Amino acid sequence: MRLLAIVPILCCLAALILSFLCLFAGSKGNLMEDYHLLTLNTSRIGQNLLDNGGKLPFDLPGSELLTGLPDEFTDTVSDAIGDIAERLGVEDFYSAHILDYCYGQYTPIEVANATVSASDISKNITGCSNRTAAFAFDPNEIIEQALNKSGLGITLRDLEWPQDIQRGIDALRIISIVTFALYCIAIGLIGLSLILAIFGLFANGRMLPCCNLLLAILAFLASGLASGLVTAVLVKGTEVINQYGGQIGIEADRGNKFLALTWAATAVMFVAVVIWCIDMCIPRRNKHANNMDKHG
Ligand SMILES: *[C@@H]1O[C@H](CO)[C@@H](O)[C@H](O)[C@H]1NC(C)=O
Ligand SMILES: *[C@@H]1O[C@H](CO)[C@@H](O)[C@H](O)[C@H]1NC(C)=O
Ligand SMILES: *[C@@H]1O[C@H](CO)[C@@H](O)[C@H](O)[C@H]1NC(C)=O
Ligand SMILES: *[C@@H]1O[C@H](CO)[C@@H](O)[C@H](O)[C@H]1NC(C)=O
Ligand SMILES: *[C@@H]1O[C@H](CO)[C@@H](O)[C@H](O)[C@H]1NC(C)=O
């Protein structure tokens, strides 16, 4: 029995659980919603239209009441902007996960005010898309669909949807398809590492530790690749969406908790690799020597 093998077993087990959480976070309503990849805050959509002289370029029932209000009424205007999103049929937020996306309303209000601080605002999920393996989070299509459904005849062009935002959105499309595959491969390799590590507990030869190390390295690389890709895409996507989305009242919030989760999985696999390396370097005694030790 080689006690050193217990550490990689625990590492593999931890990495397996963390990777599963990454894959399934947010796919059951409110469960682990905080571990989103990215949340699109669309609660202020249409704000630009009110700011630009306060006149909407399209007919929205009741919108004439909002035009030309003096500054004292900014709270009213602020409420009205929330109403715009609501009347357009657009939800307050859309949060992307690996397997689906969810949407809903911010409670109690969308934007912090004097009495309700930002930390008191929570998400109230209305629903989620169907779970699919190779799903692409496309805010463009989601919002267009919501606008179509509202039946007001308002298009993205009416909202002055910036063309440049598409680059950020295109970046997001890559992850959905590639990351799902990468996480599945990583989970498979980590699982194999775990099984082999359990055998390694009882092995005495040189062969098994070698296989253990090799498999752990592959699992670490797969996990690292998945984490690296997700990080790069989320950083880029969030940056571009925030750069151009601000004009039309759209904000993207990067899922830092998800990134912590996925990098934690990669880190524990790295520990497993290091332990297997150390294990390889420790001179191994053969059975005969072992028996000699035991007998005196
Ligand atoms: C949503 O975005 C608006 C600006 O577009 C911001 O003022 C507000 O604080 C955001 N709400 C939340 C809950 O992040
Ligand atoms: C902040 O928003 C809450 C909820 O809508 C409201 O009850 C409260 O009066 C607001 N506070 C201020 C100072 O506007
Ligand atoms: C969440 O929304 C539902 C209706 O969509 C509402 O009944 C419920 O009270 C809301 N929850 C909170 C905490 O606001
Ligand atoms: C989701 O799945 C249900 C049944 O599984 C189906 O009826 C529905 O059309 C699907 N929705 C979408 C948006 O694909
Ligand atoms: C919305 O409607 C327009 C025109 O009616 C159509 O071209 C577009 O494909 C629709 N978009 C979605 C996402 O259904």
Side-chain angles (χ1 to χ4, degrees), residues 112-269:
N113 67 13
T115 47
V116 181
S117 71
S119 55
D120 292 335
I121 299 178
S122 62
K123 288 163 153 181
N124 186 2
I125 293 192
T126 313
C128 295
S129 68
N130 282 348
R131 257 186 283 165
T132 31
F135 122 94
F137 182 64
D138 188 347
N140 210 334
E141 191 187 322
I142 292 168
I143 291 175
E144 199 178 4
Q145 227 162 38
L147 292 176
N148 278 6
K149 247 200 216 155
S150 76
L152 293 172
I154 292 160
T155 61
L156 287 180
R157 187 197 293 231
D158 290 327
L159 294 176
E160 295 167 11
W161 189 264
Q163 285 299 312
D164 291 321
I165 212 170
Q166 196 59 39
R167 280 194 291 123
I169 291 171
D170 286 343
L172 290 179
R173 293 175 70 95
I174 305 169
I175 43 174
S176 357
I177 295 152
V178 180
T179 29
F180 175 74
L182 273 177
Y183 275 103
C184 287
I185 292 169
I187 285 175
L189 287 171
I190 293 169
L192 276 180
S193 284
L194 177 62
I195 294 169
L196 213 58
I198 292 172
F199 281 119
L201 209 53
F202 305 103
N204 262 320
R206 270 238 172 256
M207 184 65 186
L208 201 54
C210 211
C211 292
N212 266 322
L213 176 62
L214 204 68
L215 207 53
I217 288 175
L218 285 179
F220 162 69
L221 287 180
S223 179
L225 201 62
S227 304
L229 183 75
V230 170
T231 306
V233 167
L234 286 189
V235 167
K236 183 72 186 158
T238 314
E239 188 190 297
V240 173
I241 291 179
N242 279 337
Q243 188 179 350
Y244 298 105
Q247 311 162 13
I248 56 165
I250 286 182
E251 222 178 67
D253 176 26
R254 193 174 63 218
N256 289 331
K257 281 189 179 172
F258 179 91
L259 293 182
L261 204 62
T262 182
W263 281 112
T266 306
V268 285
M269 274 324 286

Side-chain angles (χ1 to χ4, degrees), residues 7-175:
V7 181
I9 289 177
L10 293 179
C11 288
C12 290
L13 200 60
L16 197 61
I17 293 170
L18 290 171
S19 302
F20 265 115
L21 289 181
C22 285
L23 198 55
F24 289 106
S27 63
K28 271 233 177 356
N30 269 318
L31 198 66
M32 292 186 75
E33 165 58 32
D34 279 353
Y35 293 84
H36 55 250
L37 289 169
L38 175 134
T39 292
L40 208 62
N41 169 356
T42 48
S43 62
R44 305 281 93 178
I45 201 167
Q47 179 168 33
N48 54 320
L49 304 175
L50 278 184
D51 291 346
N52 297 343
K55 201 151 179 71
L56 297 172
F58 48 79
D59 253 358
L60 197 59
S63 66
E64 63 281 356
L65 299 174
L66 309 172
T67 56
L69 281 177
D71 280 352
E72 305 93 271
F73 293 101
T74 42
D75 270 357
T76 321
V77 171
S78 174
D79 283 349
I81 293 166
D83 283 351
I84 291 183
E86 210 173 309
R87 284 201 212 145
L88 290 177
V90 178
E91 300 278 352
D92 276 355
F93 67 83
Y94 296 86
S95 59
H97 309 284
I98 289 192
L99 292 178
D100 66 354
Y101 70 86
C102 293
Y103 45 87
Q105 304 285 325
Y106 286 119
T107 57
I109 46 172
E110 293 102 10
V111 181
N113 67 13
T115 47
V116 181
S117 71
S119 55
D120 292 335
I121 299 178
S122 62
K123 288 163 153 181
N124 186 2
I125 293 192
T126 313
C128 295
S129 68
N130 282 348
R131 257 186 283 165
T132 31
F135 122 94
F137 182 64
D138 188 347
N140 210 334
E141 191 187 322
I142 292 168
I143 291 175
E144 199 178 4
Q145 227 162 38
L147 292 176
N148 278 6
K149 247 200 216 155
S150 76
L152 293 172
I154 292 160
T155 61
L156 287 180
R157 187 197 293 231
D158 290 327
L159 294 176
E160 295 167 11
W161 189 264
Q163 285 299 312
D164 291 321
I165 212 170
Q166 196 59 39
R167 280 194 291 123
I169 291 171
D170 286 343
L172 290 179
R173 293 175 70 95
I174 305 169
I175 43 174

